[in-house]
Each structure stands twice: as C-alpha cells, then as structure tokens.
Amino acid sequence: MKYKAVIFDLFGTLTCYLSFREYETVLRKMASVVSAPEDSFIRLWNDTFDRQMKGDFRNDQVIIRNICHELNVPVEYEQINRAVQMKLDSVKRDITRLRSDAVDVLVYLKSENYKTGLISNCSHETPILWKEVPLVSVAMLVDVAVFSCLEGTMKPDPRIYQIAAEQLGVEPKDCLYIADGIGGELESAAQIGMYPVQLRVIGEDHDDDPYHEDWDGPVISSLKEVLTLVNEME
C-alpha cells in the first residue's frame, strides 16, 4: 500500500520537544506576575485546558481574570497583560523551534507528490503564529493545517482526524500519522484507520509528562525516518 498523505502533529513533532517542566515553569511565572498562589493558579489553568484547545475563550485575559477572581486575588489589567505576553512569548518560542530535519522532510514529500497535513491541539495564538517567519516556509509546505481551537474539537476525538483527511481529499486509511504521542492521539488515529507512528527522539525524556501516551506500535527516532516509511510502501 502506498500512502497518499502524511499528517504531522505540530508541538514536539515538527517542533522540538517541550518538556512538561518547561510548561509548568511558564505558568509559575505567570502566576507570580498576577500575585496568585502558583500551585492553585496552575491547577485552575489546567482545569480550563480542554476548553482552551477547543477555542472556548476569546483570549487569555479572560482566563487569567477568571482564575484570579476564583482565587480572590485582586489583579490589575497591566498584570494580566504581562502574564498574557509571557504566554504568547512562550508559544512563539516553542512554535519556531523547528526540528532540524522538518523542512527537508516536507520538501521531499511535496516533491514526491504526497499530500501533507497538520493536526494540532492548540489555543488561539497558534493559527496566527503558524503564518509567521520562520514558519512561513513550513506553512507553505503543508497543504492542510487543522487547529483544534478553530474546529471546536481536539485530539483524541476521531472527528479531528476525519476533518484533516476530508480537507486533504483522502481516506484515513491512506494517511500516515506522525506524532510524539500525547493524550491518546496515536491510538485514536489508528482507530479511524490511519497508520500512526510515534516520534521518540533519543535523549528526550517524556517520563515527567503525565499526558504522554504509552505506545507499543511503530516508532521512529527522527523525522527523516518518515522518508524510509513512505519509500517502503512504494
């Protein structure tokens, strides 16, 4: 069987790995800026995570203001805006830290007439930043980018994989799905008929990430191995 499309996860797959500790560090700094108890702020922020990924909030100001209200912490607009900027800077840094082989892999796939897609669980900043330099070259190499915050659904809901396949004009069975494996995304891709492969790079320790998926299916250690996968199916 030859695949017709290769679909990638974004964070930790096309971009470099972001550890759960790094994520928490940003949230602790945001909590400090608004003078909120760090652990309580993180807990309430994480309680809204799925809603953030589904685009339920107009912006991060709303989330932070709601958290401070629930914690009975008085907060000024200037503090909220500083915390929001911290988060934006963090997402921008993460999304622009492309893996060194990401562009080469996408260029090859396009040269061989594979359709390319992206499925990302993300909040509202990501679709905007996706079009910015230096990601513009990557964005141009991806035929379809599906962002959870714009679709109102997130991985591992099978609907988001189906949306990507439909927009690419292919059946799920014709799709290779590459991801680092967070929150059951690989298993869900398999359930709708895609061929999921985990990217597990040597030296990247996912043990501290409570959402990382236990996966006993096929694994690659670099994005360049995607080229071997597609060539094996010629």
Side-chain angles (χ1 to χ4, degrees):
M1 168 188 171
K2 179 179 178 179
Y3 303 111
K4 295 178 181 178
V6 183
I7 302 175
F8 297 88
D9 170 47
L10 178 56
F11 294 106
T13 302
L14 288 179
T15 70
C16 295
Y17 171 59
L18 173 69
S19 75
F20 191 73
R21 291 191 185 94
E22 290 177 272
Y23 166 76
E24 279 208 339
T25 295
V26 173
L27 293 182
R28 290 189 183 280
K29 289 179 179 178
M30 291 168 62
S32 178
V33 164
V34 297
S35 301
E38 293 181 2
D39 289 342
S40 297
F41 182 93
I42 292 172
R43 174 178 54 81
L44 292 175
W45 181 275
N46 287 336
D47 284 347
T48 69
F49 183 80
D50 284 7
R51 294 185 63 197
Q52 292 180 47
M53 298 300 103
K54 294 177 182 179
D56 288 352
F57 297 100
R58 184 170 68 255
N59 52 48
D60 288 337
Q61 283 89 340
V62 172
I63 303 170
I64 295 171
R65 187 165 59 248
N66 290 347
I67 289 175
C68 289
H69 177 75
E70 186 163 346
L71 294 174
N72 198 26
V73 172
V75 63
E76 303 291 337
Y77 283 113
E78 187 272 338
Q79 291 173 285
I80 292 175
N81 288 336
R82 281 173 56 202
V84 168
Q85 188 62 48
M86 279 185 176
K87 194 226 177 176
L88 178 61
D89 290 344
S90 173
V91 175
K92 189 169 186 176
R93 181 184 65 247
D94 298 336
I95 201 173
T96 54
R97 287 167 49 189
L98 293 172
R99 292 195 183 273
S100 60
D101 47 0
V103 172
D104 288 344
V105 168
L106 289 168
V107 167
Y108 177 85
L109 292 173
K110 295 306 298 175
S111 71
E112 295 295 313
N113 297 316
Y114 288 96
K115 295 183 178 182
T116 55
L118 173 85
I119 304 175
S120 179
N121 282 355
C122 60
S123 51
H124 62 92
E125 307 97 334
T126 299
I128 299 170
L129 295 172
W130 173 246
K131 298 295 185 181
E132 292 192 0
V133 175
L135 283 179
V136 64
S137 60
V138 176
M140 292 174 63
L141 293 167
V142 173
D143 298 315
V144 168
V146 176
F147 299 108
S148 63
C149 61
L150 299 182
E151 300 297 338
T153 186
M154 61 184 285
K155 297 178 287 184
D157 189 326
R159 289 178 296 170
I160 200 165
Y161 304 91
Q162 191 65 49
I163 289 168
E166 289 175 357
Q167 291 187 10
L168 286 167
V170 298
E171 295 295 323
K173 65 181 178 61
D174 296 324
C175 299
L176 178 64
Y177 180 66
I178 309 296
D180 57 336
I182 299 294
E185 63 180 328
L186 295 164
E187 181 62 34
S188 186
Q191 287 175 357
I192 72 159
M194 291 184 178
Y195 186 78
V197 176
Q198 184 180 50
L199 175 66
R200 190 185 300 163
V201 178
I202 296 172
E204 293 181 356
D205 184 7
H206 295 265
D207 290 343
D208 69 328
D209 189 339
Y211 303 103
H212 202 255
E213 183 174 359
D214 290 330
W215 176 248
D216 58 4
V219 174
I220 56 175
S221 59
S222 74
L223 281 178
K224 282 191 175 179
E225 291 181 51
V226 171
L227 308 186
T228 301
L229 290 173
V230 295
N231 288 326
E232 284 177 349
M233 294 295 179
E234 293 288 348

